[in-house]
C-alpha cells in the first residue's frame, strides 16, 4: 500500500513538473512573439482548387488586442480594410463604401478565400490564458529539435479544443500546430517553413495554413516586412480610419 | 335481352342502386385522387425545375457533386461561348445562365451603420437583358407585389416576408454580404426595385432575385455562371428527350479527370426527383390496381349478399329450365350495365371536381409553413387524358370481377335439390 501511494505521488509530481515545464515553454514562446507595436507587410498565397491567388496586405498591430489591416492587391481587394479591437472585427469594403461588423456565422467564413477563417484572426494569441499544456515528448522537425506539447482548452470560447504544437527548443517558435475540434477531428494544420531573426526576435516568416476539411494545397502566409516598436497613431485603431 | 335486363335492374332498386353507388363513389374518388396527385406531382416538378433544376442543367463536374453548398468557386467559366454552343446544338430548348447565392442582407441606418441583418438566399437571372425568357419561366412580373421590375444591374427584387422582417421599402439601399467566386467576403450595394411574392413558403421567407450581370460583377464572376439551365419550350419535362440531350452533350465533354469540365444533368437525376417522377409514372398503375382490388372485394361481397337475396330467383329460373351458364351470363351482363352507368357518372363527377380544383386550387400555405420544398402554396389538380380512363375501365372491370366471383355459386346449385330448397 505504501509502495502504491509512493508511486502515485511520484507520478503526480512528474505530471505537475511536466505541466510547469510546458507552461514555462509557452510563456517563452509568447515572450518571443510579443511586441508593443508592429508593422507588417505580408503576402497570402492561396492555392485554391482552380487557381493560385496572391493577396498583399499591410497591418498595424498594437499588443494583442488591436490590429488594422489594409489590403493592397489584387485590384479587386485593394482598399478593403479590417479593424480588430478585442473581440470585435469590422470590415470596410470600398465597393459598398460600408463598414460592417463581422460576427456570428460570418466569423467562420474563409478569410479572402484562404484556409484561414475570420475566427482564426480573432483568436486571442495568448495561449497560456486559454489552454493548459503538457509536454508529450521530444521530436525533430525540419532539422530542428522540438518539444511536442499538447494544449487542452481551459475555456469554452476557443475555436479549437485541442492543439498539438511543436516548439523549437532553441528559438521558442511554434514550428507546427495541429488544431482539433472537440470531436477530435483535425481541422487545421499550421506549418512553419522559414524562420528569421529580426530585431532580436526569432519569427516565422513563411507559414503554411491548411484547412484539413478543404481540398487544395493550403495557404502560404509570407511576411515580407516586419518592424517592431513602430509609432502607430491612435486614430489608426478607430472605425473612422477604415473609410480614410 | 339487354332491354329485359335493363328493365329488371331499373325496377329492382336493390339490384341496381347499391352496385351503381359503389362504382360511382369508387370511380369518382379515383378520378379525383388521380387528378389531384397528378397536380401535386406536376407542381413539384414544375416549380423545382423553374427555381432549381431546369429540365436539364449544366454545371462543372465539381459543382454538381457539391451543389447543396452552392459552391460558386466551382462555377462554369467562359459561359458566353458555352451558351452559344448549346443554343446552336439544342435549339429546341431555352438556355438560361444563373447564379445561386446565399449570404446576409445588411440594412444600414442613416449613419451607414448596421440597422438590421437577415440571412438570405437567392438566384441571379437575366432581368435586364433583352431576353424575356426568365421573366416567362419564373413569371416574375406577375409576382411583383409593389415597386417595379429590375431594370438596372444592381436592382434587386426582395420577397415580401423578408421586406417585412427587415423593415425596408422599395427604393431603399441594402448591402448583400456574400462570398465571391474566389471565396472572399464581399459587400455589395443593391437597390430594392420591387417586392415579390411567389406564393411558395420555402422561398418567400428569405428570397431575393438579382440581375445576372449585376451579380456576376458583385461576386467577381465575369463570364462565369454557377449553372446553365435548359427548359423545354412547352415547359413540360420530357424524361427520354432530356436524357438524349444530356447524353449528346456529355459525349462532347467526356474528360472525367477534369473536375471543371461541364456536365449536363437531367431533372430526373437531381434533388432526389427520380423517386417522385418514378412514383408519378407508376401512380396510374398503382391507383388502378388498388381500385380494381378494393372495388372487386366490395362488389364481390355485394354480389354474395345479392346472391343470397336472389337465391330463390335463381332457383326458380333454374327450375324453369334456364341453364346455369345463361343465368351466370345474364348476371355478368347486369354487372356490365351497372358498371358502365356507375363509371360514367363517377367519371363525370370526378372530372367535375378535378376541373374545379384545377381552376381554384387549394391553398396549403399553413401546411407548407416550415417546408423546405419548393412547391407552390396553392396546389391544383391536373386533369389529363388519363383522368378520363383511370376510373372508368377499372370501374367496369371491378364490377364484372365482383359478379363473376360471387356468381360462381350458381354452378353449385343442384337441380334435383331445387324444389326442396324452394320449399324450405
Amino acid at each position: 500500500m505504501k509502495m502504491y501511494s509512493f508511486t502515485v505521488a511520484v507520478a503526480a509530481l512528474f505530471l505537475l513538473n511536466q505541466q510547469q515545464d510546458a507552461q514555462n515553454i509557452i510563456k517563452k514562446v509568447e515572450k518571443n512573439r510579443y511586441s508593443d507595436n508592429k508593422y507588417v507587410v505580408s503576402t497570402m498565397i492561396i492555392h485554391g482548387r482552380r487557381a493560385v491567388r496572391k493577396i498583399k496586405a499591410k497591418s498595424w498591430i498594437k499588443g494583442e488586442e488591436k490590429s488594422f489591416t489594409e489590403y493592397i492587391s489584387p485590384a479587386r481587394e485593394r482598399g478593403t480594410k479590417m479593424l480588430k479591437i478585442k473581440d470585435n472585427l469590422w470590415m470596410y469594403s470600398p465597393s459598398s463604401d460600408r463598414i460592417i461588423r463581422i460576427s456570428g456565422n460570418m466569423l467562420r467564413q474563409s478569410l479572402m478565400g484562404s484556409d484561414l477563417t475570420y475566427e482564426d484572426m480573432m483568436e486571442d494569441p495568448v495561449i497560456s490564458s486559454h489552454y493548459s499544456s503538457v509536454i508529450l515528448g521530444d521530436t525533430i522537425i525540419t532539422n530542428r529539435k522540438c518539444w511536442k506539447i499538447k494544449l487542452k482548452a481551459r475555456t469554452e470560447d476557443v475555436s479549437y479544443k485541442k492543439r498539438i504544437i511543436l516548439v523549437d527548443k532553441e528559438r521558442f517558435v511554434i514550428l507546427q500546430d495541429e488544431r482539433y475540434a472537440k470531436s477530435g477531428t483535425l481541422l487545421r494544420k499550421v506549418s512553419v517553413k522559414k524562420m528569421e531573426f529580426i530585431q532580436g526576435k526569432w519569427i516565422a516568416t513563411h507559414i503554411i495554413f491548411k484547412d484539413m476539411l478543404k481540398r487544395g494545397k493550403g495557404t502560404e502566409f509570407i511576411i515580407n516586412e516586419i518592424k517592431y516598436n513602430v509609432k502607430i497613431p491612435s486614430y489608426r485603431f478607430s472605425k473612422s480610419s477604415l473609410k480614410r | 335481352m339487354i332491354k329485359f335486363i335493363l328493365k329488371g335492374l331499373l325496377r329492382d332498386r336493390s339490384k341496381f342502386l347499391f352496385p351503381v353507388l359503389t362504382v360511382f363513389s369508387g370511380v369518382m374518388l379515383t378520378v379525383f385522387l388521380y387528378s389531384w396527385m397528378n397536380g401535386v406531382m406536376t407542381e413539384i416538378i414544375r416549380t423545382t425545375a423553374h427555381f432549381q433544376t431546369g429540365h436539364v442543367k449544366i454545371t462543372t463536374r465539381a459543382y454538381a457533386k457539391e451543389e447543396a453548398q452552392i459552391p460558386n468557386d466551382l462555377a462554369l467559366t467562359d459561359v458566353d461561348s458555352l451558351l452559344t454552343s448549346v443554343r446552336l446544338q439544342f435549339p429546341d430548348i431555352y438556355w438560361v445562365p444563373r447564379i445561386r447565392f446565399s449570404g446576409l442582407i445588411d440594412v444600414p441606418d442613416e449613419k451607414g451603420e448596421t440597422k438590421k441583418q437577415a440571412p438570405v438566399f437567392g438566384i441571379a437571372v437575366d432581368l435586364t437583358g433583352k431576353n424575356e425568357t426568365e421573366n416567362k419561366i419564373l413569371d416574375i412580373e406577375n409576382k411583383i407585389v409593389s415597386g417595379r421590375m429590375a431594370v438596372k444591374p444592381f436592382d434587386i427584387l426582395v420577397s415580401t416576408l423578408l421586406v417585412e422582417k427587415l423593415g425596408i421599402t422599395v427604393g431603399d439601399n441594402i448591402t448583400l454580404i456574400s462570398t465571391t467566386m474566389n471565396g472572399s467576403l464581399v459587400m455589395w450595394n443593391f437597390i430594392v426595385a420591387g417586392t415579390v411574392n411567389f406564393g411558395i413558403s420555402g422561398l418567400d421567407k428569405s428570397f431575393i432575385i438579382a440581375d445576372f450581370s449585376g451579380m456576376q460583377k458583385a461576386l467577381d464572376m465575369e463570364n462565369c455562371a454557377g449553372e446553365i439551365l435548359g427548359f423545354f419550350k412547352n415547359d413540360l419535362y420530357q424524361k427520354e428527350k432530356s436524357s438524349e440531350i444530356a447524353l449528346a452533350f456529355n459525349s462532347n465533354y467526356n474528360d472525367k479527370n477534369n473536375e471543371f469540365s461541364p456536365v449536363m444533368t437531367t431533372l430526373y437525376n437531381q434533388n432526389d426527383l427520380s423517386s417522385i417522377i418514378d412514383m408519378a409514372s407508376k401512380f396510374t398503375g398503382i391507383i388502378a390496381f388498388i381500385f380494381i382490388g378494393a372495388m372487386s372485394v366490395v362488389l364481390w361481397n355485394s354480389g354474395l349478399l345479392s346472391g343470397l337475396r336472389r337465391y330463390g330467383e335463381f332457383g326458380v329460373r333454374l327450375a324453369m329450365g334456364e341453364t346455369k351458364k345463361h343465368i351466370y351470363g345474364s348476371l355478368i351482363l347486369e354487372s356490365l350495365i351497372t358498371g358502365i352507368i356507375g363509371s360514367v357518372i363517377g367519371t363525370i363527377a370526378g372530372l367535375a371536381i378535378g376541373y374545379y380544383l384545377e381552376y381554384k386550387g387549394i391553398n396549403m400555405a399553413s401546411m407548407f409553413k416550415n417546408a423546405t420544398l419548393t412547391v407552390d402554396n396553392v396546389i391544383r389538380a391536373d386533369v389529363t387524358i388519363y383522368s378520363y380512363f383511370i376510373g372508368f375501365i377499372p370501374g367496369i372491370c371491378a364490377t364484372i370481377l365482383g359478379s363473376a366471383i360471387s356468381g360462381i355459386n350458381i354452378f353449385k346449385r343442384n337441380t334435383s335439390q331445387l324444389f326442396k330448397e324452394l320449399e324450405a
Side-chain angles (χ1 to χ4, degrees):
Chain A
M1 186 64 189
K2 274 182 184 174
M3 191 60 192
Y4 175 74
S5 306
F6 178 74
T7 313
V8 169
V10 168
L13 210 62
F14 177 75
L15 194 68
L16 193 69
N17 198 33
Q18 287 282 81
Q19 278 177 346
Q20 275 177 346
D21 283 351
Q23 285 294 343
N24 287 335
I25 294 164
I26 298 298
K27 276 181 183 159
K28 281 180 183 170
V29 169
E30 282 164 355
K31 195 182 167 192
N32 180 55
R33 200 160 59 174
Y34 185 80
S35 125
D36 274 346
N37 292 339
K38 273 188 279 199
Y39 168 74
V40 181
V41 178
S42 61
T43 305
M44 261 199 313
I45 305 172
I46 303 160
H47 298 269
R49 279 168 77 171
R50 193 166 229 159
V52 176
R53 288 199 314 141
K54 276 188 187 180
I55 296 173
K56 205 165 181 182
K58 294 187 282 189
S59 302
W60 289 262
I61 302 153
K62 189 176 169 72
E64 306 290 359
E65 291 186 336
K66 290 180 181 176
S67 75
F68 180 92
T69 302
E70 180 178 353
Y71 290 88
I72 44 182
S73 72
R76 170 87 194 188
E77 314 293 354
R78 189 185 301 137
T80 301
K81 292 166 194 166
M82 268 188 273
L83 172 68
K84 179 201 154 185
I85 299 174
K86 290 184 180 170
D87 295 333
N88 299 304
L89 181 68
W90 290 273
M91 188 172 166
Y92 169 75
S93 143
S95 58
S96 63
D97 194 29
R98 295 269 323 267
I99 297 168
I100 285 173
R101 188 169 167 235
I102 310 286
S103 57
N105 278 335
M106 272 201 290
L107 285 167
R108 278 174 221 124
Q109 295 265 341
S110 156
L111 172 73
M112 299 280 170
S114 71
D115 288 56
L116 284 152
T117 63
Y118 291 94
E119 210 165 41
D120 288 328
M121 202 180 145
M122 291 297 293
E123 195 105 322
D124 186 349
V126 185
I127 297 170
S128 54
S129 53
H130 297 287
Y131 291 92
S132 62
S133 51
V134 63
I135 298 174
L136 296 178
D138 296 336
T139 186
I140 292 174
I141 186 168
T142 54
N143 293 326
R144 302 291 309 168
K145 285 182 183 170
C146 295
W147 286 290
K148 189 176 186 178
I149 297 172
K150 182 174 140 184
L151 304 175
K152 200 176 162 191
R154 277 202 295 232
T155 53
E156 277 299 309
D157 57 347
V158 288
S159 312
Y160 308 102
K161 303 299 169 202
K162 187 182 102 174
R163 289 162 69 173
I164 305 278
I165 58 170
L166 304 183
V167 179
D168 189 304
K169 281 189 171 180
E170 197 184 332
R171 296 169 180 173
F172 293 96
V173 172
I174 297 173
L175 295 184
Q176 188 177 290
D177 185 354
E178 289 177 342
R179 300 171 179 186
Y180 295 84
K182 200 174 186 177
S183 62
T185 311
L186 177 59
L187 297 175
R188 256 175 204 78
K189 191 173 174 179
V190 185
S191 318
V192 171
K193 293 290 158 196
K194 192 179 169 190
M195 281 183 285
E196 284 180 66
F197 193 66
I198 301 166
Q199 287 184 255
K201 287 174 189 289
W202 279 103
I203 181 156
T205 53
H206 187 177
I207 308 163
I208 295 181
F209 292 88
K210 177 78 186 87
D211 182 339
M212 303 305 282
L213 306 179
K214 217 163 121 177
R215 287 168 73 176
K217 290 177 189 167
T219 298
E220 290 180 66
F221 186 83
I222 298 165
I223 293 179
N224 306 109
E225 186 188 344
I226 185 161
K227 284 179 190 166
Y228 290 107
N229 303 319
V230 289
K231 277 191 177 173
I232 305 173
S234 57
Y235 74 80
R236 177 69 69 189
F237 302 108
S238 66
K239 274 165 74 180
S240 57
S241 70
L242 286 165
K243 276 198 177 187
R244 285 188 189 194
Chain B
M1 173 75 172
I2 292 172
K3 206 176 166 185
F4 174 75
I5 290 172
L6 252 172
K7 270 186 182 171
L9 281 170
L10 293 171
R11 284 173 187 172
D12 185 353
R13 281 176 61 194
S14 59
K15 259 195 217 175
F16 176 70
L17 200 61
F18 178 72
V20 166
L21 274 178
T22 312
V23 176
F24 161 77
S25 45
V27 171
M28 184 191 68
L29 271 175
T30 307
V31 172
F32 156 68
L33 204 66
Y34 169 77
S35 305
W36 175 254
M37 286 308 289
N38 199 32
V40 173
M41 302 284 187
T42 310
E43 187 52 40
I44 290 173
I45 292 168
R46 191 185 66 86
T47 323
T48 311
H50 286 178
F51 286 93
Q52 291 177 5
T53 62
H55 293 141
V56 287
K57 185 198 271 186
I58 305 170
T59 58
T60 62
R61 286 176 194 279
Y63 186 102
K65 276 183 194 163
E66 297 170 29
E67 204 180 330
Q69 295 164 37
I70 319 177
N72 281 329
D73 53 328
L74 310 173
L76 292 161
T77 52
D78 200 13
V79 164
D80 291 345
S81 64
L82 186 59
L83 270 171
T84 311
S85 150
V86 288
R87 279 173 182 154
L88 271 173
Q89 197 182 351
F90 309 105
D92 297 337
I93 288 193
Y94 290 128
W95 295 102
V96 291
R98 285 191 187 171
I99 296 170
R100 283 163 65 203
F101 58 90
S102 61
L104 280 177
I105 284 287
D106 186 282
V107 183
D109 60 13
E110 309 78 47
K111 291 176 191 166
E113 301 272 333
T114 299
K115 188 167 80 179
K116 269 187 179 171
Q117 277 187 346
V120 292
F121 70 101
I123 51 172
V125 301
D126 184 15
L127 295 176
T128 57
K130 285 177 186 168
N131 198 334
E132 283 281 299
T133 314
E134 287 284 28
N135 191 14
K136 274 186 207 161
I137 292 169
L138 299 172
D139 194 22
I140 299 170
E141 255 174 359
N142 289 327
K143 304 294 180 187
I144 293 177
V145 177
S146 62
R148 55 165 172 81
M149 184 71 169
V151 289
K152 290 178 185 166
F154 302 117
D155 281 350
I156 205 164
L157 301 169
V158 185
S159 64
T160 44
L161 288 176
L162 187 61
V163 163
E164 277 173 30
K165 191 177 168 184
L166 290 169
I168 51 176
T169 54
V170 173
D172 281 357
N173 269 302
I174 54 172
T175 306
L176 172 72
I177 306 170
S178 189
T179 45
T180 67
M181 191 176 167
N182 293 314
S184 295
L185 201 71
V186 65
M187 296 188 256
W188 205 273
N189 293 340
F190 290 89
I191 294 167
V192 182
T195 65
V196 281
N197 189 355
F198 283 98
I200 299 170
S201 292
L203 287 185
D204 290 334
K205 275 180 275 187
S206 52
F207 188 60
I208 50 179
I209 297 189
D211 176 56
F212 182 73
S213 65
M215 198 50 72
Q216 272 186 318
K217 195 155 190 197
L219 302 186
D220 202 9
M221 293 178 75
E222 295 291 329
N223 202 11
C224 298
E227 44 203 46
I228 294 174
L229 267 54
F231 295 92
F232 290 109
K233 289 187 176 170
N234 61 3
D235 200 22
L236 291 174
Y237 176 62
Q238 297 157 49
K239 193 180 162 193
E240 279 74 32
K241 188 96 187 282
S242 62
S243 298
E244 283 166 24
I245 292 166
L247 201 68
F249 177 87
N250 291 336
S251 63
N252 296 337
Y253 301 93
N254 52 8
D255 182 5
K256 285 183 181 165
N257 295 322
N258 180 5
E259 62 176 352
F260 297 109
S261 76
V263 65
M264 192 185 284
T265 321
T266 63
L267 177 145
Y268 181 78
N269 292 316
Q270 294 178 59
N271 295 30
D272 293 328
L273 284 172
S274 55
S275 51
I276 293 178
I277 294 168
D278 286 344
M279 197 166 85
S281 62
K282 285 173 191 158
F283 196 65
T284 315
I286 294 169
I287 276 200
F289 181 77
I290 293 172
F291 179 82
I292 292 177
M295 293 296 283
S296 295
V297 171
V298 174
L299 291 166
W300 173 15
N301 195 32
S302 129
L304 285 174
L305 288 170
S306 171
L308 283 175
R309 201 181 51 79
R310 293 170 72 185
Y311 196 75
E313 179 201 322
F314 293 146
V316 171
R317 285 169 69 179
L318 283 168
M320 285 171 75
E322 202 174 341
T323 63
K324 286 175 182 173
K325 270 188 184 172
H326 190 266
I327 295 174
Y328 188 73
S330 67
L331 202 67
I332 298 291
L333 203 60
E334 268 180 23
S335 66
L336 179 69
I337 292 166
T338 51
I340 289 171
I341 294 168
S343 295
V344 167
I345 54 171
T347 301
I348 291 168
L351 285 173
I353 301 170
Y355 275 120
Y356 176 75
L357 287 177
E358 187 174 295
Y359 175 68
K360 289 290 273 184
I362 298 176
N363 193 333
M364 301 178 90
S366 56
M367 266 180 76
F368 295 154
K369 208 164 47 184
N370 299 315
T372 50
L373 205 66
T374 313
V375 61
D376 205 311
N377 290 344
V378 179
I379 298 286
R380 294 168 201 281
D382 184 16
V383 180
T384 64
I385 189 76
Y386 294 110
S387 308
Y388 287 80
F389 305 106
I390 186 79
F392 190 82
I393 295 167
I396 295 170
C397 293
T399 335
I400 293 173
L401 195 65
S403 295
I405 299 167
S406 60
I408 291 169
N409 278 339
I410 292 168
F411 294 97
K412 290 177 184 165
R413 302 288 291 275
N414 202 336
T415 321
S416 59
Q417 298 289 317
L418 273 175
F419 286 100
K420 270 190 179 176
E421 283 173 22
L422 290 170
E423 276 168 10

